[in-house]
Amino acid sequence: MSANHALAAEVVRLATERQQTLGTAESLTAGLIAATVAEVSGASAVLMGGVVSYDPRVKREVLGVAQAVIDGPGVVSEPCARQMAEGARVLLKTDIAVSATGVAGPMGGTQDAPVGTVYIGLADARGTMAIRYQFEGDRQAVRAQTVAAALTLVLDSLKA
């Protein structure tokens, strides 16, 4: 069992126990967070769905990310991750929503957001937050580390 599968199994177990539902809003992971949770037997009791919002238009039109955020700090930013999580929580009507936006590489990095820069957002009944991460490795390694960090944030929310 991979480390991410073990994290997902714990998310499903705790969310089921606490009768909490989960949704995702994913950019660079393109559904990998939701897919990792869905690999766990019993996930259908807690995973309501997810939005793959690779394009800024989807972030804006589906998740409600403000155009000012897209034009200002950009899609790889703390405000974007926060608004993605909030939008997913409302759209999917879940207790918890987690979001991920960033640069998986190998291209696309900037001076302010080099390859490996990822923002993960989480929205729950207590509010919304986002954390910036700087992951190392190739595209797949950055995506796998993003899934691990996102599932860890969900676990923290469930344990709070």
Side-chain angles (χ1 to χ4, degrees):
M1 177 184 298
S2 75
N4 282 353
H5 185 81
L7 282 169
E10 184 65 4
V11 164
V12 170
R13 185 189 73 74
L14 268 179
T16 301
E17 182 180 291
R18 299 205 164 116
Q19 298 181 336
Q20 297 285 293
T21 56
L22 174 66
T24 66
E26 306 183 54
S27 187
L28 79 150
T29 47
L32 193 56
I33 299 166
T36 302
V37 173
E39 289 174 1
V40 178
S41 178
S44 61
V46 299
L47 181 63
M48 298 296 103
V51 175
V52 174
S53 58
Y54 228 73
D55 189 85
R57 181 182 56 80
V58 177
K59 288 176 179 69
R60 183 184 70 247
E61 294 177 9
V62 177
L63 295 172
V65 175
Q67 188 66 46
V69 167
I70 293 168
D71 293 341
V75 295
V76 180
S77 68
E78 181 265 344
C80 186
R82 289 173 60 92
Q83 289 184 14
M84 287 172 64
E86 290 168 349
R89 186 167 183 250
V90 170
L91 179 70
L92 300 169
K93 297 177 176 62
T94 60
D95 297 300
I96 302 167
V98 65
S99 68
T101 184
V103 186
M107 299 178 302
T110 66
Q111 187 172 356
D112 291 334
V115 169
T117 303
V118 174
Y119 289 87
I120 300 175
L122 187 128
D124 63 15
R126 290 176 295 281
T128 306
M129 50 87 70
I131 299 173
R132 178 184 171 132
Y133 297 85
Q134 190 63 52
F135 297 127
E136 300 293 326
D138 66 11
R139 182 177 184 80
Q140 299 317 318
V142 169
R143 294 174 78 226
Q145 291 169 81
T146 301
V147 171
L151 293 174
T152 299
L153 282 182
V154 172
L155 279 175
D156 290 346
S157 172
L158 288 166
K159 290 175 182 177

